[in-house]
Structures are given as structure tokens and as C-alpha cells.
Coordinates of all heavy atoms in Angstrom, one line a residue:
M1 N 82.3 106.9 108.4 CA 83.2 107.4 107.3 C 82.5 107.4 106.0 O 81.9 106.3 105.7 CB 84.5 106.7 107.3 CG 85.4 107.2 106.2 SD 87.0 106.3 106.0 CE 86.5 105.0 105.0
S2 N 82.4 108.5 105.3 CA 81.9 108.5 104.0 C 82.9 108.0 102.9 O 84.1 108.1 103.2 CB 81.5 109.9 103.6 OG 80.5 110.4 104.5
A3 N 82.4 107.5 101.8 CA 83.3 107.1 100.7 C 84.0 108.3 100.2 O 83.4 109.4 100.1 CB 82.5 106.4 99.6
I4 N 85.3 108.1 99.9 CA 86.1 109.1 99.3 C 86.3 108.8 97.8 O 86.7 107.7 97.5 CB 87.5 109.2 100.0 CG1 87.3 109.7 101.5 CG2 88.4 110.2 99.3 CD1 88.5 109.6 102.3
T5 N 86.1 109.8 97.0 CA 86.3 109.6 95.6 C 87.3 110.6 95.0 O 87.5 111.6 95.7 CB 84.9 109.7 94.8 OG1 84.5 111.1 94.9 CG2 83.9 108.8 95.3
K6 N 87.9 110.3 93.9 CA 88.9 111.2 93.4 C 88.4 112.5 92.9 O 89.1 113.4 92.7 CB 89.8 110.4 92.3 CG 89.0 109.9 91.2 CD 90.0 109.1 90.3 CE 89.2 108.4 89.2 NZ 90.2 107.5 88.4
D7 N 87.1 112.6 92.6 CA 86.5 113.8 92.1 C 86.0 114.7 93.2 O 85.6 115.8 93.0 CB 85.4 113.6 91.1 CG 84.3 112.8 91.6 OD1 84.4 112.0 92.6 OD2 83.1 113.1 91.1
M8 N 86.1 114.3 94.5 CA 85.8 115.2 95.6 C 86.8 116.2 95.8 O 88.0 116.0 95.6 CB 85.7 114.3 96.9 CG 84.5 113.4 96.9 SD 84.6 112.3 98.4 CE 83.9 113.5 99.7
T9 N 86.4 117.4 96.3 CA 87.4 118.4 96.6 C 88.1 118.0 97.9 O 87.5 117.3 98.7 CB 86.8 119.8 96.7 OG1 85.9 119.9 97.8 CG2 86.1 120.3 95.4
I10 N 89.3 118.6 98.1 CA 90.0 118.3 99.4 C 89.1 118.8 100.5 O 89.0 118.1 101.6 CB 91.3 119.0 99.4 CG1 92.2 118.6 98.2 CG2 92.0 118.9 100.7 CD1 92.7 117.1 98.3
A11 N 88.5 120.0 100.3 CA 87.6 120.5 101.4 C 86.4 119.6 101.7 O 86.1 119.4 102.9 CB 87.0 121.9 101.0
E12 N 85.8 119.0 100.7 CA 84.7 118.0 101.0 C 85.2 116.8 101.7 O 84.6 116.3 102.7 CB 84.2 117.5 99.6 CG 83.3 118.5 98.9 CD 82.9 118.0 97.5 OE1 83.8 117.4 96.8 OE2 81.7 118.2 97.2
I13 N 86.4 116.3 101.3 CA 87.0 115.2 102.0 C 87.3 115.5 103.5 O 86.9 114.7 104.4 CB 88.3 114.7 101.3 CG1 87.9 114.2 99.9 CG2 89.0 113.7 102.2 CD1 89.1 113.9 99.0
L14 N 87.8 116.7 103.8 CA 88.1 117.0 105.1 C 86.9 117.2 106.0 O 86.9 116.9 107.2 CB 89.0 118.3 105.1 CG 90.4 118.2 104.5 CD1 91.1 119.4 104.5 CD2 91.2 117.0 105.1
M15 N 85.8 117.7 105.4 CA 84.5 117.9 106.1 C 83.9 116.6 106.4 O 83.3 116.4 107.5 CB 83.6 118.8 105.3 CG 84.0 120.3 105.3 SD 82.8 121.5 104.6 CE 81.8 120.5 103.5
T16 N 83.9 115.7 105.5 CA 83.2 114.4 105.7 C 84.1 113.3 106.3 O 83.5 112.4 106.9 CB 82.6 113.9 104.4 OG1 83.7 113.7 103.4 CG2 81.6 114.8 103.8
N17 N 85.4 113.4 106.2 CA 86.3 112.4 106.7 C 87.6 113.0 107.3 O 88.7 112.8 106.8 CB 86.7 111.5 105.5 CG 85.6 110.7 104.9 OD1 85.1 109.8 105.4 ND2 85.1 111.2 103.8
P18 N 87.4 113.8 108.4 CA 88.6 114.4 108.9 C 89.7 113.4 109.4 O 90.9 113.8 109.5 CB 88.0 115.2 110.1 CG 86.7 114.6 110.4 CD 86.2 114.0 109.1
E19 N 89.3 112.2 109.7 CA 90.3 111.2 110.1 C 91.3 110.8 109.0 O 92.3 110.2 109.3 CB 89.6 109.9 110.6 CG 88.8 109.1 109.6 CD 87.4 109.7 109.2 OE1 87.0 110.7 109.7 OE2 86.8 109.0 108.4
V20 N 91.0 111.3 107.8 CA 91.9 110.9 106.7 C 93.1 111.9 106.6 O 94.1 111.6 105.8 CB 91.2 110.9 105.3 CG1 90.9 112.3 104.8 CG2 91.9 110.1 104.3
V21 N 93.1 112.9 107.4 CA 94.2 113.9 107.3 C 95.6 113.3 107.4 O 96.5 113.5 106.6 CB 94.0 115.0 108.4 CG1 95.3 115.9 108.5 CG2 92.8 115.9 108.0
P22 N 95.9 112.5 108.5 CA 97.2 111.9 108.5 C 97.6 111.0 107.3 O 98.8 111.0 106.9 CB 97.2 111.0 109.8 CG 96.0 111.5 110.6 CD 95.1 112.0 109.6
T23 N 96.6 110.3 106.7 CA 96.9 109.5 105.5 C 97.3 110.4 104.3 O 98.2 110.1 103.6 CB 95.6 108.7 105.2 OG1 95.3 107.8 106.3 CG2 95.8 107.9 103.9
L24 N 96.5 111.5 104.2 CA 96.8 112.4 103.1 C 98.2 113.1 103.2 O 99.0 113.2 102.3 CB 95.7 113.5 102.9 CG 94.4 112.9 102.5 CD1 93.3 114.1 102.5 CD2 94.4 112.3 101.2
M25 N 98.5 113.5 104.5 CA 99.8 114.1 104.8 C 100.9 113.1 104.5 O 101.9 113.5 103.9 CB 99.8 114.6 106.2 CG 98.8 115.7 106.5 SD 99.3 117.3 105.9 CE 100.6 117.7 107.0
S26 N 100.8 111.9 104.9 CA 101.8 110.9 104.7 C 102.0 110.5 103.3 O 103.1 110.1 102.9 CB 101.7 109.7 105.6 OG 100.6 108.9 105.2
A27 N 101.0 110.7 102.5 CA 101.0 110.4 101.0 C 101.7 111.6 100.3 O 102.0 111.4 99.1 CB 99.6 110.2 100.5
G28 N 101.9 112.7 100.9 CA 102.6 113.9 100.3 C 101.7 115.0 100.0 O 102.1 116.0 99.4
L29 N 100.5 115.0 100.4 CA 99.5 116.1 100.2 C 99.6 117.0 101.5 O 98.8 116.8 102.4 CB 98.1 115.6 99.9 CG 97.9 114.9 98.6 CD1 96.5 114.4 98.5 CD2 98.3 115.8 97.4
H30 N 100.5 117.9 101.5 CA 100.7 118.8 102.7 C 99.9 120.1 102.5 O 100.0 121.0 103.4 CB 102.1 119.1 102.9 CG 102.9 117.8 103.1 ND1 103.9 117.5 102.2 CD2 102.8 116.8 104.0 CE1 104.4 116.3 102.6 NE2 103.8 115.9 103.7
C31 N 99.1 120.3 101.4 CA 98.4 121.5 101.2 C 97.0 121.5 101.6 O 96.2 122.2 101.0 CB 98.5 121.8 99.7 SG 97.7 120.5 98.7
L32 N 96.7 120.7 102.6 CA 95.2 120.6 103.0 C 94.6 121.9 103.4 O 93.4 122.0 103.2 CB 95.1 119.5 104.1 CG 95.8 118.2 103.8 CD1 95.6 117.2 104.9 CD2 95.1 117.6 102.5
G33 N 95.3 122.8 103.9 CA 94.7 124.1 104.3 C 94.8 125.2 103.3 O 94.4 126.3 103.6
C34 N 95.5 125.0 102.2 CA 95.7 126.0 101.3 C 94.4 126.4 100.5 O 93.5 125.6 100.4 CB 96.8 125.7 100.3 SG 96.4 124.5 99.0
P35 N 94.3 127.6 100.0 CA 93.1 128.1 99.3 C 92.7 127.2 98.2 O 91.5 127.0 97.9 CB 93.5 129.5 98.9 CG 94.5 129.9 99.8 CD 95.3 128.7 100.2
A36 N 93.7 126.6 97.5 CA 93.3 125.8 96.3 C 92.6 124.6 96.7 O 91.8 124.0 95.9 CB 94.6 125.4 95.6
S37 N 92.7 124.1 98.0 CA 92.1 122.9 98.4 C 90.5 123.0 98.5 O 89.8 122.0 98.5 CB 92.6 122.4 99.8 OG 92.2 123.3 100.8
Q38 N 90.1 124.3 98.5 CA 88.6 124.5 98.5 C 88.0 124.1 97.2 O 86.8 123.7 97.2 CB 88.3 126.0 98.8 CG 88.8 126.4 100.2 CD 88.2 125.6 101.3 OE1 87.0 125.5 101.4 NE2 89.0 125.1 102.2
G39 N 88.7 124.2 96.1 CA 88.1 123.9 94.8 C 88.8 122.8 94.0 O 88.4 122.5 92.9
E40 N 89.9 122.3 94.5 CA 90.7 121.4 93.8 C 90.3 119.9 94.2 O 90.2 119.6 95.4 CB 92.2 121.6 94.2 CG 93.2 120.8 93.4 CD 94.6 121.2 93.8 OE1 95.0 121.1 95.0 OE2 95.3 121.7 92.9
S41 N 90.1 119.1 93.2 CA 89.7 117.7 93.5 C 90.9 117.0 94.0 O 92.1 117.4 93.8 CB 89.2 117.0 92.2 OG 90.2 116.8 91.3
L42 N 90.6 115.8 94.6 CA 91.7 115.0 95.0 C 92.6 114.5 93.9 O 93.8 114.5 93.9 CB 91.2 113.7 95.7 CG 92.2 112.7 96.3 CD1 93.1 113.4 97.4 CD2 91.5 111.6 96.9
E43 N 92.0 114.3 92.7 CA 92.7 113.9 91.5 C 93.6 115.0 91.0 O 94.8 114.8 90.7 CB 91.8 113.4 90.4 CG 92.5 112.9 89.2 CD 91.5 112.3 88.2 OE1 90.3 112.7 88.1 OE2 92.0 111.3 87.5
E44 N 93.1 116.2 91.0 CA 93.9 117.4 90.6 C 95.1 117.6 91.6 O 96.2 117.9 91.1 CB 93.0 118.6 90.5 CG 92.0 118.6 89.4 CD 90.9 119.7 89.5 OE1 90.6 120.1 90.7 OE2 90.4 120.0 88.5
A45 N 94.8 117.5 92.9 CA 95.9 117.7 93.9 C 97.0 116.6 93.7 O 98.2 116.9 93.8 CB 95.3 117.6 95.3
A46 N 96.5 115.4 93.4 CA 97.5 114.3 93.2 C 98.4 114.6 92.0 O 99.6 114.5 92.0 CB 96.8 113.0 93.1
M47 N 97.8 115.1 90.9 CA 98.5 115.4 89.7 C 99.5 116.5 89.9 O 100.6 116.4 89.5 CB 97.5 115.8 88.6 CG 98.1 116.1 87.3 SD 97.0 116.5 86.0 CE 96.3 118.1 86.7
V48 N 99.1 117.6 90.6 CA 100.0 118.7 90.9 C 101.2 118.3 91.7 O 102.3 118.8 91.5 CB 99.2 119.8 91.6 CG1 100.1 120.9 92.2 CG2 98.2 120.5 90.7
H49 N 101.0 117.3 92.6 CA 102.1 116.8 93.5 C 102.8 115.6 92.9 O 103.6 115.0 93.6 CB 101.5 116.5 94.9 CG 101.1 117.8 95.6 ND1 99.9 118.4 95.5 CD2 101.8 118.5 96.5 CE1 99.8 119.5 96.2 NE2 101.0 119.6 96.9
G50 N 102.5 115.2 91.7 CA 103.2 114.1 91.1 C 102.8 112.8 91.7 O 103.7 111.8 91.7
I51 N 101.6 112.6 92.2 CA 101.2 111.4 92.9 C 100.2 110.6 92.0 O 99.3 111.3 91.4 CB 100.5 111.7 94.2 CG1 101.5 112.4 95.1 CG2 100.0 110.5 94.9 CD1 100.9 113.0 96.4
D52 N 100.4 109.4 91.7 CA 99.5 108.6 90.9 C 98.2 108.5 91.7 O 98.1 108.0 92.8 CB 100.1 107.2 90.7 CG 99.2 106.3 89.8 OD1 98.3 105.7 90.4 OD2 99.3 106.3 88.6
I53 N 97.1 108.9 91.1 CA 95.8 108.9 91.7 C 95.3 107.5 92.1 O 94.7 107.3 93.2 CB 94.7 109.7 91.0 CG1 93.4 109.9 91.8 CG2 94.4 109.0 89.6 CD1 93.5 110.6 93.1
D54 N 95.5 106.5 91.3 CA 95.0 105.2 91.6 C 95.8 104.6 92.8 O 95.2 104.0 93.6 CB 95.2 104.3 90.4 CG 94.3 104.7 89.2 OD1 93.1 105.2 89.5 OD2 94.7 104.7 88.1
E55 N 97.1 104.9 92.8 CA 97.9 104.4 94.0 C 97.4 105.1 95.3 O 97.3 104.5 96.3 CB 99.4 104.6 93.8 CG 99.9 103.7 92.7 CD 101.4 104.0 92.5 OE1 102.1 104.7 93.2 OE2 101.9 103.4 91.5
L56 N 97.1 106.4 95.1 CA 96.7 107.2 96.3 C 95.3 106.7 96.8 O 95.1 106.5 98.0 CB 96.6 108.7 95.9 CG 96.0 109.6 97.0 CD1 96.9 109.6 98.3 CD2 95.9 111.1 96.5
M57 N 94.4 106.4 95.9 CA 93.1 105.8 96.3 C 93.3 104.5 97.0 O 92.6 104.3 98.0 CB 92.2 105.7 95.1 CG 91.8 107.0 94.4 SD 91.0 108.2 95.5 CE 89.5 107.4 95.9
E58 N 94.2 103.7 96.5 CA 94.4 102.4 97.2 C 95.0 102.6 98.6 O 94.6 102.0 99.6 CB 95.4 101.5 96.4 CG 94.7 100.9 95.2 CD 95.8 100.1 94.3 OE1 96.8 99.6 94.9 OE2 95.6 100.0 93.1
Y59 N 95.9 103.6 98.7 CA 96.6 103.9 100.0 C 95.5 104.4 101.0 O 95.5 104.0 102.1 CB 97.7 104.9 99.7 CG 98.4 105.3 100.9 CD1 99.3 104.4 101.6 CD2 98.4 106.6 101.5 CE1 100.0 104.8 102.7 CE2 99.1 107.0 102.6 CZ 99.9 106.1 103.2 OH 100.7 106.4 104.3
I60 N 94.6 105.3 100.5 CA 93.6 105.8 101.4 C 92.7 104.7 101.8 O 92.4 104.6 103.0 CB 92.7 106.9 100.6 CG1 93.6 108.2 100.4 CG2 91.5 107.3 101.4 CD1 93.0 109.2 99.5
D61 N 92.2 103.9 100.9 CA 91.3 102.7 101.2 C 92.0 101.8 102.3 O 91.3 101.4 103.2 CB 91.0 101.9 100.0 CG 90.0 102.7 99.1 OD1 89.4 103.6 99.6 OD2 89.9 102.3 97.9
E62 N 93.2 101.5 102.1 CA 94.0 100.6 103.0 C 94.0 101.2 104.4 O 93.8 100.5 105.4 CB 95.4 100.3 102.5 CG 95.4 99.4 101.3 CD 96.8 99.3 100.7 OE1 97.8 99.7 101.4 OE2 96.9 98.8 99.6
N63 N 94.4 102.5 104.4 CA 94.6 103.1 105.7 C 93.2 103.4 106.5 O 93.2 103.3 107.7 CB 95.3 104.5 105.6 CG 96.8 104.3 105.5 OD1 97.5 104.2 106.5 ND2 97.3 104.3 104.2
M64 N 92.2 103.6 105.7 CA 90.9 103.8 106.3 C 90.3 102.4 106.9 O 89.7 102.4 107.9 CB 89.9 104.4 105.3 CG 90.3 105.9 105.0 SD 90.3 107.0 106.3 CE 92.0 107.1 106.8
K65 N 90.6 101.4 106.1 CA 90.2 100.0 106.6 C 90.9 99.7 107.9 O 90.3 99.2 108.8 CB 90.4 99.0 105.5 CG 89.4 99.0 104.4 CD 89.8 98.0 103.3 CE 88.9 98.2 102.1 NZ 89.3 97.4 101.0
D66 N 92.2 100.0 107.9 CA 93.0 99.7 109.1 C 92.5 100.5 110.3 O 92.4 100.0 111.4 CB 94.5 100.0 108.9 CG 95.2 99.0 107.9 OD1 94.6 97.9 107.7 OD2 96.3 99.3 107.4
A67 N 92.1 101.8 110.0 CA 91.7 102.6 111.1 C 90.3 102.2 111.7 O 90.1 102.2 112.9 CB 91.5 104.1 110.6
Q68 N 89.5 101.7 110.8 CA 88.1 101.2 111.2 C 88.3 99.9 112.0 O 87.5 99.6 112.8 CB 87.2 101.0 110.0 CG 86.7 102.3 109.4 CD 85.9 102.1 108.1 OE1 86.0 101.0 107.5 NE2 85.1 103.0 107.8
A69 N 89.3 99.1 111.6 CA 89.4 97.8 112.3 C 89.9 98.0 113.7 O 89.8 97.0 114.5 CB 90.4 96.9 111.5
Q70 N 90.5 99.1 114.0 CA 91.0 99.3 115.4 C 90.0 99.7 116.4 O 89.1 100.2 116.3 CB 92.2 100.3 115.3 CG 93.3 99.8 114.6 CD 94.5 100.8 114.5 OE1 94.4 101.9 115.1 NE2 95.5 100.4 113.8

């Protein structure tokens, strides 16, 4: 798994870390396949969906650590 940063586009995240899809979906980002995801950063997507980016990054980190531990 590659590091995920808030300035990565959704498309970059999905290409490098496809295992994060369930985490993003459960956080409220259901637009993973929409055209905007090709150029929209994770931070921009969070803002559009009313999600605090710092909380989202913590949530992603926790879920990815749990997934790696299994």
C-alpha cells in the first residue's frame, strides 16, 4: 500500500490503493467513479461532501492499519 495524502486525486488513490474503496465509501465518499474524481483531490472531495479532511485522514489511516494487520 502506498501512502495516501490529502492532495492526491481520487483517481490516483484508487489506482495505487484500491483496497481503500470500502473505507472511502463508508466515510461518505460515494462518488469514486464520477468524472470529477479524475481531477479532484481527496481534500476537495471531502470539502464538497462536508467531511473534515483531518478526521478523514485519521479514519483512512486507522482502517488501512487494521487491514494490514489481518
Side-chain angles (χ1 to χ4, degrees):
M1 180 180 88
S2 300
I4 296 173
T5 63
K6 59 186 171 184
D7 62 329
M8 293 174 77
T9 65
I10 301 294
E12 288 174 316
I13 293 169
L14 298 180
M15 286 187 339
T16 59
N17 298 284
E19 68 278 3
V20 78
V21 168
T23 299
L24 295 176
M25 295 286 286
S26 68
L29 295 175
H30 302 118
C31 60
L32 302 179
C34 74
S37 70
Q38 297 301 308
E40 187 173 60
S41 71
L42 182 59
E43 185 170 29
E44 291 167 332
M47 183 179 63
V48 167
H49 289 84
I51 300 168
D52 180 274
I53 188 61
D54 295 322
E55 290 178 13
L56 177 59
M57 294 303 296
E58 287 178 26
Y59 183 66
I60 290 170
D61 287 342
E62 289 171 15
N63 280 278
M64 294 297 95
K65 285 177 188 172
D66 289 345
Q68 288 178 337
Q70 293 180 4

